[in-house]
Amino acid sequence: MRLKTSGDTSNMTLPQDSERGINALGSAEKGKATVKAVDPKLLQSDMLPVSSPAPFRLPKRRGLSWVLFVTFSVLCVLVLPVRRSNIFSPASHLDFSGVEPVVDILAGMGFTGNGRTNDVLWDKYSLIIKGQRVFIHSGEFHTFRLPVPGLWLDILQKVKAAGFNAISVYSHMALINPSPGVVDFNDYRALEPLYEAAKQTGIWIVFRPGPYINAETTAGGIAHWVTSEVAGELRTNATDWRAAWQDYLQGVITETVPYQVTQGGPVIAIQIDNEYPQEPATHAEYFRELETVYWNSSIVVPLTTNDPGEDQAWINGTGAVDIYGLDSYPQRFDCSHPDVWNPVVTNYYSHHESVNPGQPWYFPEFQGGAFDAWGPTAPGYDQCRILTGANFENVFNLNLLASNAKLINYYMLYGGTSWGALPFPGVYTSYDYGSAIAENRELTVKYPELKRQGLFLRSSPDFYKTDWVGNSTGGMVSVSNPAAFVTLLRNPDSAASFYIVRQENSTTTDVTTFKLNVTTSAGNFEVPRFISGITLGGRQSKIIVTDYSFGSSSKVLYSTAQVLFAGQIGGRDVLFLYGDPTSESEAALTLNGTPRIQGTGVSLVSSNGVTSVTFLPGIQGLITIWDSSEQLVLYSDADTAGTFWSPEISANDSVEFAKYWQFGTNSSILVGGPYLVRNATITGSTLALRGDLNDSVQLTVIAPDDVKTVTWNGIPISADVAAVSNLTTQGGFVAQLKPSSTVLGFAPPALTNWRYANSLPEILSGFSDANWILANHTTTNIPFKPYYGDGRVLYGCDYGYCENIVLWRGHFNATENTQSVNFSINGGEAFAATVWVNDVFLNTSYGNSTNNRNILEETDDEFHFPPGSLLYGRENIITILQDNMGLNQSGSVIDEEKSPRGVRGFMLNTGEFGEWKVQGKLGGYTNYLDKVRGVLNEGGLYGERMGWHLPGFDTSSWALRDLSEGLPNATAGVGFFVTTFNLSIPDGFDVPMSFTFDDTFQPYRSQLYVNGWMMGKRVSNLGPQYQFPVQQGILDYNGMNTVAVALWAMEPEAVTPTLQLTIEGVYEGGVGGIETNNPSWSPEGRS
């Protein structure tokens, strides 16, 4: 942390060092809190792992006796004849994870901290969490895009199963702080259930509360009321902006303080705002104001931020954070040509070394997919999943590793749904993002590659501390073929080396073969030694390891095969390698014990205690290379490796951080076959596996040899003895798993018996807008002023209506000279606005987007009055039905978040308007009725105001009319269609479902409500989305469900939408216990 001094300019009182918790271990030198006095050579690999599910723990003592004990212990270790990696190394299996004084010892070893806690420290390599060196391997997850708290555990279990140990999480100010003075952490807005689920799963959290978060969400997450009530410039040190975010930030602090790592919780860092330049000075002062709020609170974990480009922001100077991070999206966000790549970024390491070499290299956001835009040429998320697919993950993620990054977060790992008014105008409802976990929570084709990488990182503690030695361009690495590019990382303590190889031309699809000169404990030589070379397919990267340790005492001298798993299971050292089935690979190992099984399809040559293994082409499936009482070495093709899981065997709950790898446990097993393995426990001689199945599979288990019984979701499984004998003679288990016949029996109900009612009475004669808001403001805090009119400001947010559909009614007297009216209407990209005079349709103004090109977020049109449409000498009424597509995010123009949604210009060709009235969501943002679904769920349609979209509203008196018939008489207008259906899905099943509209281009828009939640906005004239996943918890799996469609026909012609419920998959398993919270209709406030 950069210490703030009294010389910094600020209009806020900053805390003194003593108030900020800098203790006797810290010093305020050169702007950082540092710790000194102990030779850092005493700490080498620093992982300090636990060796068993119920680890031995040293007594928690302080004082002289403890110091003498530790000093004596360290001296004893120092004099032992051990390998360099053994002093405080993974192989030592000393468990200091729960011993408080170790933190103090580590704090004296030259690590940097923020002066407020020693539980999160760092050096130039990585974070040190409670004394453990940790590689942060993280994925982005936004709980507000999955508004069913019971399902957050599902996502976290899928994150953990892929080998990740952390998530990055935004919170959303607009949802939590919906109106001035209101802070709401109920229901899906809550943080506590997320934090509890993270503790239950063993997942760290980098919390990113903004208040600005970007995230392709309306106003970048800033509360909508702020955009009209705050006059000062947002995201600066403007006093009214500072006052506006105080309640929200104090709220998230209160919720987060007890869940910091210092108190046994998952939160290890907090991000300040999001992707923001440090200049001008008002930006820097704004950051310092945010930081000061944290410093004046009980938040003690480090503060971070994310630089959107290599701008060196927030490293030094006013507003600087503790740990700098760089965001990077090398493929950008157009998925139209998914086979066309941008090359890898080659200067990550040099940028890091030039700007913050003393800190660990942190990527708060690295591309894990891409958002998709409105428009008929928008490619859709399936194409984004190809662009950023497994090959991209392999090449570009390993390129990050080659830059020596040790804190990496992939954005997104699970995208979810931008339901209601969550999206900013550039995106549609789905926020699938082409992620490894799809919007409907299914695992995609991208997931196995992330899992292979995740399990390697979890298995490789020597990788957590590496020096960047050089690459093949700079001459530090010698490679036989210049078409291959190699970067060398080496652990300075154990000498384990990691040669990360890719194609010199990272976009090529050519195959490259080469040999590599490596440095090992056995000398320098060229690998491979027995086969023709290392083969790189097009768009492929590999990690060649040397002097790589696995288990308690085993060593890989080198391997051109890839490491999936390395560790100890049941007292045996276990190594799982994999490779391409079409090419050879090679490894040199120290093999111990007497082999009871030796694999076929391989060649073994032993010399001087090292066995070289050649893996021949054509290996498919899993084979055993070496099976002794001391070691088990396995090999498979890459696809088979991707079907394996390594669930951790956690300590009992009495152990602090029981579910966290390196802290509560270093014990795990191997499980192959199932769609998902969520967790595993061992009680006595029984291994209990829990997970999901969608098909019959062969279950393969490598577990401690004292396991005698295996259960799957509570049901005992019979072993296939013959199959086990081909796998291993110790600790193996093979069986057939089959889902129940129920899996095949699900069929979605048809959506029939629709009821219909008109939802646009506002254009009918006799409709009274007496209770609507009088739109008579002549000033606005929105900086984008009206273009023309009579001085009145017709912006929805100025009257409390910031989101979804807003209606305007303008009153005027007409004469025979009244011929037309001009309106400039602003609704955001892809909006629409339909205009009537009295009950006569005039026209529809269309905003536009074509894959984020040809963007039109406001229109300026002349509307002509047809003959007979006006009442001369009497009052006439213009009705404007306008869709608000969300507020803009920050951009190149100051205060773009204060988007002028509404009517920016109004003018009759002759005469003046009288009253203007406006109506949006019932109650606006101050008195909206639905406190569960929240401020962004509803809009101002008559049907919404009456609650027609809610379960329990009585539609029995409505007309029977099928949705496919559209509106009566092919008119332009809005109608509500409502039906119900029953589901009866047994417990223990996860059944992703979607509501699927017709995939046609027609002039209609529709809003989809499921049990009262607006789960989709279908824009048929633009596209691309027509399928809308809806989660269990919004869907009632065992009861009646209400679906409503607000159909807006934008032209006086027939539209014929269709809608069906579709099942995307059936999975036996799931997390279970999902509660519904779908408040039903009440007449209160709806009259």
Side-chain angles (χ1 to χ4, degrees), residues 251-335:
V252 298
I253 287 172
T254 299
E255 296 294 309
T256 302
V257 161
Y259 286 98
Q260 296 175 98
V261 63
T262 54
Q263 300 190 40
V267 178
I268 57 172
I270 292 178
Q271 180 175 298
I272 301 296
D273 205 75
N274 191 83
E275 295 184 333
Y276 205 40
Q278 198 168 1
E279 295 180 350
T282 54
H283 293 189
E285 293 293 346
Y286 163 52
F287 261 51
R288 189 165 73 150
E289 290 171 357
L290 289 169
E291 291 162 348
T292 299
V293 171
Y294 290 112
W295 296 335
N296 285 332
S297 76
S298 296
I299 292 292
V300 298
V301 295
L303 304 179
T304 73
T305 198
N306 52 338
D307 192 346
E310 295 180 359
D311 300 326
Q312 306 180 32
W314 312 111
I315 298 173
N316 298 292
T318 302
V321 296
D322 298 326
I323 300 175
Y324 164 86
L326 174 69
D327 290 355
S328 184
Y329 290 83
Q331 295 306 328
R332 309 306 300 155
F333 305 104
D334 185 352
C335 305

Side-chain angles (χ1 to χ4, degrees), residues 706-904:
D706 56 358
V707 168
K708 306 303 179 185
T709 303
V710 177
T711 66
W712 175 259
N713 292 340
I715 301 174
I717 307 166
S718 298
D720 183 336
V721 177
V724 173
S725 65
N726 294 323
L727 174 65
T728 178
T729 58
Q730 181 178 338
F733 184 90
V734 178
Q736 295 299 313
L737 278 182
K738 295 182 179 180
S740 70
S741 58
T742 311
V743 169
L744 305 175
F746 287 123
L751 302 179
T752 58
N753 299 315
W754 291 93
R755 296 281 181 166
Y756 165 81
N758 175 37
S759 185
L760 195 65
E762 293 89 350
I763 66 173
L764 302 178
S765 62
F767 180 85
S768 174
D769 57 23
N771 292 326
W772 287 23
I773 297 293
L774 180 65
N776 61 354
H777 294 186
T778 56
T779 61
T780 180
N781 289 323
I782 295 172
F784 310 100
K785 305 307 179 184
Y787 294 130
Y788 53 86
D790 58 13
R792 283 178 287 183
V793 178
L794 306 185
Y795 295 165
C797 262
D798 281 337
Y799 302 95
Y801 305 130
C802 295
E803 53 274 328
N804 297 318
I805 287 175
V806 175
L807 291 102
W808 302 90
R809 280 167 57 93
H811 299 247
F812 67 98
N813 287 319
T815 70
E816 292 183 355
N817 294 323
T818 306
Q819 302 294 320
S820 64
V821 63
N822 281 74
F823 289 119
S824 178
I825 303 174
N826 183 298
E829 180 178 346
F831 88 102
T834 302
V835 181
W836 290 262
V837 61
N838 301 319
D839 62 353
V840 177
F841 170 79
L842 296 182
N843 214 337
T844 294
S845 287
Y846 293 95
N848 191 35
S849 174
T850 306
N851 196 16
N852 270 341
R853 297 180 178 88
N854 306 311
I855 293 172
L856 188 65
E857 70 168 22
E858 64 183 25
T859 56
D860 195 351
D861 293 324
E862 183 178 13
F863 298 83
H864 292 273
F865 300 129
S869 61
L870 298 179
L871 305 172
Y872 298 136
R874 297 166 55 188
E875 183 180 69
N876 295 263
I877 299 176
I878 289 280
T879 301
I880 302 174
L881 174 69
Q882 175 206 347
D883 201 357
N884 179 345
M885 304 300 288
L887 306 186
N888 292 351
Q889 299 181 134
S890 287
S892 58
V893 178
I894 291 174
D895 275 348
E896 280 195 52
E897 304 95 326
K898 297 181 179 180
S899 305
R901 301 293 185 247
V903 182
R904 294 194 70 183

